Amino acid sequence: LVEPAAPRRSVPLRTHDKEPRTSSERAAARGVVRVQRDLSGINFFPFLLCNVGTGCSILKVTSESQFERVSGTALGGGTFLGLCRRLTKAASFKEAMDMAEDGDARKVDMLVRDIYGEGEDRAGLQLPGDLTASFFARALSAEPKASDADLCKALVVMISQNLAQIAHLNAQVHGLRRVFFTGNFLRGNDLAMRTIVYTLQRMPRVVVHGELGRRKRDLLLPVGAEPTEAVFFRHEGYFGAIGAYLEQCRNCASAAEQGR
């Protein structure tokens, strides 16, 4: 589980250089910390499962044997690596992620303050100035060209923020707060996990007021609403293989009962 930075005990976090490091060492700079979570004492079902591989599927799980695919998106790890290979010199997923750790997405993406300035009101929208307004929009300007590291970072942020938003909206539609994220795109991808958590934590606090006739109406969730909770697994990359194995076991058992 990744949460906003708080005085909790952290668990070891493995970096690309394989040097053991706790996430609390990065919490001050990045605002999130990985903590262990015991889910045995809570009402486990229902929940959403967001499986991020080449693309993304979102399943609503109501019991150990009942689930349905309720949504998804074509954005995923395949999108990330494909664009990285086209736009940068990165040839592998690991190489692209190593580059992304040193990049700055703000050199690629346009923020709200880039459009509306630093004023508190910001044209009446009341949006945070550091909110992403448009992905890759800085490429339209004559500013210095972004580095490969910046492009890789911007791609991680773009995909992760969209995944978080889609998961959040599905959680709202189905009346759920907890989303389990899994899939090979998130395997060891601390940057994507941090971005997803950060995005989910901010969403309920973003409120837009619009004048519709003489009435003011909230267009997004009210301030203080409970944020959607993101939960991550230690071995997220193996869930597809485990699921395929269990399905094959069930098929074999069924065939044996029918005398095949």
Side-chain angles (χ1 to χ4, degrees), residues 77-87:
T79 313
F80 170 72
L81 185 55
L83 288 174
C84 282
R85 286 182 173 178
R86 288 291 185 179
L87 300 176

Side-chain angles (χ1 to χ4, degrees):
L1 173 66
V2 182
E3 294 185 343
R8 297 189 180 187
R9 182 181 178 185
S10 61
V11 297
L13 180 66
R14 181 172 296 177
T15 59
H16 288 302
D17 58 7
K18 298 183 180 181
E19 176 188 356
R21 179 181 294 180
T22 61
S23 56
S24 58
E25 296 177 40
R26 299 180 178 180
R30 297 188 171 102
V32 293
V33 57
R34 184 181 298 184
V35 297
Q36 292 179 321
R37 175 74 178 274
D38 182 7
L39 299 176
S40 59
I42 67 172
N43 187 9
F44 198 70
F45 300 101
F47 61 85
L48 288 184
L49 177 65
C50 186
N51 185 34
V52 189
T54 305
C56 173
S57 286
I58 299 178
L59 290 79
K60 180 182 178 182
V61 183
T62 53
S63 71
E64 292 185 6
S65 59
Q66 292 184 328
F67 59 89
E68 63 174 328
R69 187 182 188 277
V70 295
S71 186
T73 174
L75 290 171
T79 313
F80 170 72
L81 185 55
L83 288 174
C84 282
R85 286 182 173 178
R86 288 291 185 179
L87 300 176
T88 73
K89 296 179 181 178
S92 67
F93 184 82
K94 183 182 183 304
E95 187 177 357
M97 288 308 307
D98 286 342
M99 288 184 180
E101 283 291 345
D102 298 324
D104 186 352
R106 294 171 298 181
K107 295 181 180 180
V108 181
D109 298 335
M110 186 172 290
L111 307 181
V112 168
R113 64 168 170 255
D114 296 326
I115 301 175
Y116 296 105
E118 296 287 354
E120 289 294 328
D121 183 58
R122 294 191 181 87
L125 295 179
Q126 298 182 2
L127 291 172
D130 61 345
L131 201 67
T132 305
S134 182
F135 297 108
F136 278 72
R138 282 192 177 275
L140 299 173
S141 68
E143 296 181 6
K145 183 180 179 181
S147 67
D148 282 3
D150 297 333
L151 292 171
C152 288
K153 177 70 169 287
L155 286 169
V156 176
V157 170
M158 179 182 72
I159 293 170
S160 300
Q161 285 189 2
N162 276 278
L163 291 175
Q165 184 176 28
I166 293 169
H168 172 74
L169 293 175
N170 274 277
Q172 294 297 310
V173 168
H174 296 282
L176 302 174
R177 277 200 60 236
R178 188 175 301 113
V179 181
F180 288 85
F181 288 87
T182 184
N184 269 329
F185 176 67
L186 299 173
R187 186 177 182 183
N189 193 343
D190 190 49
L191 175 58
M193 289 189 284
R194 291 196 307 266
T195 304
I196 288 172
V197 172
Y198 183 67
T199 304
L200 289 178
Q201 288 292 328
R202 297 191 73 185
M203 279 189 174
R205 293 166 175 76
V206 177
V207 179
V208 179
H209 296 285
E211 284 288 348
L212 301 179
R214 295 183 178 179
R215 291 189 307 157
K216 271 195 173 182
R217 178 180 175 183
D218 290 343
L219 301 180
L220 297 180
L221 295 178
V223 174
E226 287 292 331
T228 302
E229 181 183 30
V231 185
F232 301 90
F233 299 96
R234 283 184 178 274
H235 306 291
E236 59 283 304
Y238 295 95
F239 275 70
I242 293 173
Y245 172 75
L246 293 175
E247 181 66 20
Q248 183 63 23
C249 288
R250 283 192 289 266
N251 291 339
C252 290
S254 178
E257 289 178 0
Q258 297 178 15
R260 296 178 181 176

